[in-house]
Structure formats: C-alpha cells, structure tokens
Amino acid sequence: MDLFEYQGKQYFARYGIPVSPGGTADTVDEAVAQADRAGYPVVIKAQVQVGGRGKAGGVKLATNADEARLHASNILGLDIKGHVVRRLWIERASDIAKEYYASFTLDRGAKAYLAMVSARGGVEIETVAEEDPDAIARLHIDPAVGLTEADARRLVTEAGIDREAVDGAIGILLNLYRCYVEGDADLVEINPLILTPDGRVHALDAKVTLDDNAAFRHPEWDDFRDIDEFDERERLARSKGLQYVGLDGYVGIIANGAGLAMSTCDVVNQVGGSPANFLDIGGGANAEVMANALEVISSDHKVRAIFINIFGGITRGEEVANGIVTALGRVDIKIPMVIRLDGTNAEEGREILARVESDTVISAPTMLDAARKAVALADPATPQGSF
C-alpha cells in the first residue's frame, strides 16, 4: 500500500523523524484556513501517488491568503498523469540550505535490506544513479543484525553529507530504519532530506510503501486507505478482501498467488490478448472466495472472457474444483470462461469440473492452452461451441 505524502509524514513522525507541520484540505476554504493556521509563507502540495507534481503545477508557494486561495483553486481537480487531485497538504515553507536523499528498501537478490544515501537530493534518484552512480552511498544490512550507529555514520560520510548535517542525518537514518522494520514497510524514502540555514535536518517529503502482508498486525492502517482512489472494480474487490488491480484489457484473470497471477497476465499478452485485471485470490480457492472473484470480474463490462488459473498446493485440487462449481451456482455468469487446474490432486479436480463443462465453461490442461482458448473466446468472431 502506497501512502500519500501527508500520510507518510504522519508515519515518520511516529518514529521520531522530524517533518514539517501542516494539515490537509479537501476544499479551497479549508486550504486557506490551514494556511492561515500554519503561518505564511506556506507550500500547497497536491496529494497524488505519482511523481512530477511540481512540474505539473501541483506544488505552489503562497505568501498570503489570496495566493493560497488562488493556488488551491488551481490545484484541486488538476489531472497529474491520470491522477486527479482531491486533497491538498499545506505546510509552513522551509528555508533550505542543502538537499539530501535517504531510503531503505529490500534487495531481494542480495537477500538483505538496502540503504541508500546521497548528497544530491531533490531530484529523481534514478537520474542520479544514471548520471553519477558514485554519488549514492549504498549499504546492505543483515536483517538479523540491523543498522548500527557506525553503519549510519559510514553512510553519511561516504555520501558526502555536509559536516553540519552529519549528526542530524545519522539520527534520522537510525529512526528511518526503525520505521522501515518496525513499521513493516517495503520502502521508506526521504527526498529531499533538508538542512536548514540554522542547522536543523528534517524530512521535507515522504514516500512510504507498506507491506500488505503485514496488515493483520496493523489495524490502524485502515485509516490510510483512501477508497476514492480506486475505480468501481477495485472498490468492490477491496470490500470483499481481494487483491485486485484493474487493467485496460478484456480477458478477466483469476489466479491463486501473486506470482501466478502475474504470469497469467504475461501469458495472455504472449498469445495476443489483453488482461482486464490482476486478481489474486490467495492461497485458497473455496466457494465464497471464488464467488466473490467471479462477481468482481463479471462487473467489468469490458471483460469478454474469464481465465481461471489455479495451482493446487496445500489446498487440494478436488477442493478447488468443488469451490469453483459451487461458485458457478451462486453467481450468474454469462461470460465464457476457461479453467486450468494443476497441482495436488489435479486429476480429481478436473473430473469434477468436467461435470459442469459446456460451451462457455471449458477446461484446459496447460496454462498456455488455456490462455489461447480464453483469448479466442474473447474474440466476438469466435462462435460458441468452437472448443
């Protein structure tokens, strides 16, 4: 789950990371009130989960109430790379002497956490990495050991952080690492991390991605979910506890496991189709879960065929098949579908599915074969009964 900037700053503050005080606003009047409360000059920032806000006109400085009203009016409703601005963050403007960069994420290849620090903050880190890779200090951290103060000092030294900012940067790095680990994040990033003229170091921006797999430990994360950011399909899926991402194609995808769901999307593309979604039903495929998934998929008017791709692991094949059969009885599906079932007790499962096969409910033995049939069924020129 990606947080908005203001949510990321709230998260940082829980772990003692200094951030600029401010408040949110959903209307122009609220924005002016927040600006008056913060004290001028203020920065008015569009809250969207995409980069390039400043270039798109989504970040403005206001020195008085009239300017705050003007900028808020222009930013609310602004379309930034397909994201419509519905909320603003207003904070007291900060004097900046230097801008730095700091982040923690997971390096899966190295099976370790990765810290990155640079004295070249305020620009996209990808650009820095491409133009001057030596400007980024990197350190792999053993999760069993953690980040020590010596590690943090080494990072800021190698990055070339200014002497007057070293102690503040070390303290923030230690707290940022704690936020990353204890806060169950996939990514925590500060860009820019600033040094003010009076020698203070604090986070001027916040990018936080939380690990959805840890949500059961954090009921408070529900406060971060902004249901208005999702389209109708995604809202329905969220209400049913499904991992769903809407896409622009016409073949509905249901799979158990994120890796299999992504592979299924890839195979559909490979055979000339276009996936309408990514839908991961998780480790199980019982009747209730399958019925919910089919309801979400069939609510998308663009879907012309459904590809159900299930690998039975701990959940046995016959249980999966019975779940699918029961779900088909609960949900009125008029869209043709192809089912590929493999894994534990797959033969028994296929025998169960064979009892409900028809012109529009078709089994396929392999993922590639199933993808081809689903894409063909999605073609209006394909007559029913062709398979």
Side-chain angles (χ1 to χ4, degrees):
M1 175 170 53
D2 293 325
L3 302 188
F4 290 97
E5 174 194 357
Y6 76 93
Q7 295 171 330
K9 286 182 173 177
Q10 291 169 354
Y11 213 60
F12 281 174
R14 296 180 187 181
Y15 295 91
I17 298 169
V19 295
S20 301
T24 59
D26 297 335
T27 68
V28 173
D29 287 341
E30 288 177 359
V32 175
Q34 289 285 10
D36 289 342
R37 190 174 299 117
Y40 297 95
V42 298
V43 180
I44 300 175
K45 298 184 177 183
Q47 294 302 285
V48 289
Q49 293 173 334
V50 65
R53 293 178 300 171
K55 293 179 181 178
V59 178
K60 294 293 184 179
L61 178 70
T63 59
N64 54 54
D66 289 338
E67 289 182 2
R69 184 173 297 278
L70 174 64
H71 294 324
S73 299
N74 291 335
I75 297 174
L76 281 170
L78 184 66
D79 187 314
I80 301 178
K81 299 180 181 179
H83 296 253
V84 178
V85 180
R86 297 186 177 92
R87 178 163 294 170
L88 304 173
W89 170 254
I90 294 91
E91 67 181 27
R92 181 70 181 264
S94 298
D95 293 326
I96 302 172
K98 292 291 181 67
E99 295 183 338
Y100 312 121
Y101 172 93
S103 70
F104 291 97
T105 189
L106 175 64
D107 186 336
R108 297 185 185 277
K111 298 180 180 179
Y113 300 142
L114 175 63
M116 292 191 291
V117 179
S118 177
R120 290 181 55 184
V123 296
E124 293 184 4
I125 197 64
E126 293 83 0
T127 302
V128 176
E130 182 178 346
E131 296 178 353
D132 187 9
D134 292 337
I136 303 173
R138 297 174 173 86
L139 178 67
H140 283 101
I141 303 164
D142 184 343
V145 177
L147 181 75
T148 66
E149 184 174 345
D151 292 332
R153 185 170 298 277
R154 170 186 162 191
L155 277 165
V156 299
T157 300
E158 290 184 359
I161 301 298
D162 297 278
R163 185 181 61 182
E164 58 268 38
V166 166
D167 289 342
I170 290 172
I172 286 178
L173 275 179
L174 292 171
N175 286 335
L176 187 63
Y177 179 77
R178 195 164 60 86
C179 176
Y180 174 67
V181 176
E182 296 178 14
D184 284 315
D186 283 332
L187 169 71
V188 290
E189 179 182 271
I190 304 174
N191 189 27
L193 175 68
I194 67 165
L195 171 68
T196 64
D198 58 358
R200 292 178 293 110
V201 181
H202 78 272
L204 197 61
D205 200 356
K207 184 174 182 179
V208 178
T209 301
L210 300 175
D211 182 358
D212 282 330
N213 294 312
F216 70 95
R217 289 196 288 265
H218 299 276
E220 74 277 9
W221 286 2
D222 289 340
D223 295 337
F224 289 140
R225 300 188 186 279
D226 188 347
I227 202 71
D228 290 336
E229 284 297 303
F230 304 117
D231 63 25
E232 291 182 6
R233 301 169 300 171
E234 292 170 336
R235 283 197 291 270
L236 179 60
R238 290 270 174 169
S239 71
K240 296 182 179 297
L242 297 172
Q243 297 295 320
Y244 178 97
V245 178
L247 303 173
D248 296 326
Y250 50 84
V251 177
I253 304 294
I254 300 175
N256 62 332
L260 183 60
M262 287 188 287
S263 297
T264 305
C265 290
D266 289 342
V267 171
V268 167
N269 277 317
Q270 179 183 335
V271 299
S274 179
N277 63 272
F278 165 101
L279 198 162
D280 169 20
I281 60 174
N286 59 37
E288 182 179 1
V289 172
M290 286 303 306
N292 288 339
L294 288 170
E295 182 182 349
V296 170
I297 294 293
S298 60
S299 70
D300 187 346
H301 69 277
K302 294 185 296 183
V303 172
R304 302 199 294 264
I306 300 173
F307 179 7
I308 302 176
N309 191 12
I310 303 295
F311 185 89
I314 296 175
T315 304
R316 299 191 302 273
E318 74 275 15
E319 296 176 352
V320 173
N322 283 324
I324 293 174
V325 170
T326 303
L328 292 175
R330 292 185 185 179
V331 184
D332 183 20
I333 302 292
K334 296 181 172 60
I335 306 168
M337 65 183 68
V338 179
I339 305 166
R340 177 257 184 172
L341 177 61
D342 205 347
T344 306
N345 291 358
E347 287 299 328
E348 293 90 330
R350 292 180 193 132
E351 290 175 6
I352 294 170
L353 291 175
R355 301 169 195 162
V356 296
E357 282 201 31
S358 65
D359 290 346
T360 56
V361 179
I362 299 164
S363 291
T366 69
M367 186 159 66
L368 186 60
D369 186 38
R372 286 173 175 152
K373 289 181 178 179
V375 171
L377 284 168
D379 185 345
T382 302
Q384 290 191 359
S386 299
F387 299 99

